[in-house]
Amino acid sequence: MTKFVMIALAFLAVAGCAAVPEAPQPPDPKVQMTALENRIAALIEEQRLKLDPNAKPLALDPELAGIARARAGDMAAKNYLAHAAPNGDTSATLLMAQDAKWQGLLGENLAAQHYVKQSGVDVEQFAQRFLDEWMKSQPHRDNLAFAGYDRTGVGAAVNGDTVYVAQLFASDLGIKAERDPDSTVTEFPSAAAAASLADQTVTPPLRLRGAEGTKAAN
């Protein structure tokens, strides 16, 4: 009996020394950017319809998405948050250079959020935070709520501990004429102001001065 007890105790002592499994690591945020883009687009669409049930639905536009991703990627790579890149590029100039026929109204919302490496990026939470921050700012809110926009593209990129997002909104405002190759970008204080002017006299292409976001810490 004594021998059996000693063997049992020895077994328990060995078992108690087993290694504790490490907590699972969050996924690399870089692989979550597409999911974040899609979720932001969906939340913005829902919010637009809440603000104005008659707002045009936003179609996901691959051309706008490509420009938005280029802008988000550039901001992430160079660690800035602004409508103009250090070299002067903007979403409007990139779009006009890529598409010789593009003309209309272009709006842009930008924002950035920090994240903690140990926690990673929760797509649902981050998408909601971007929306919440834009809704707190009247220029951002006006941009996403403008009923005349009918296309959008979202780009997200991460570098270091920060996620950068650019969302573009666009409408051709019914302009059908060929664009003058010498056209330049015109900035307006709001989408409504640009659309009002376009109703009176068309001077394509038009571009709304986008609303800059601020870096929001977790």
Side-chain angles (χ1 to χ4, degrees), residues 12-44:
L12 289 175
V14 172
C17 294
V20 178
E22 294 184 3
Q25 295 297 308
D28 183 348
K30 292 181 180 179
V31 306
Q32 297 176 286
M33 292 300 99
T34 298
L36 181 60
E37 293 169 355
N38 292 337
R39 189 58 186 144
I40 289 173
L43 288 178
I44 293 296

Side-chain angles (χ1 to χ4, degrees), residues 149-171:
Y149 287 136
D150 57 11
R151 288 169 287 154
T152 190
V154 184
V158 62
N159 188 19
D161 64 351
T162 306
V163 177
Y164 295 83
V165 166
Q167 180 164 17
L168 303 182
F169 306 91
S171 168

Side-chain angles (χ1 to χ4, degrees), residues 86-101:
N87 67 355
D89 283 342
T90 65
S91 292
T93 59
L94 291 175
L95 185 55
M96 291 171 65
Q98 178 175 297
D99 185 346
K101 295 184 178 180

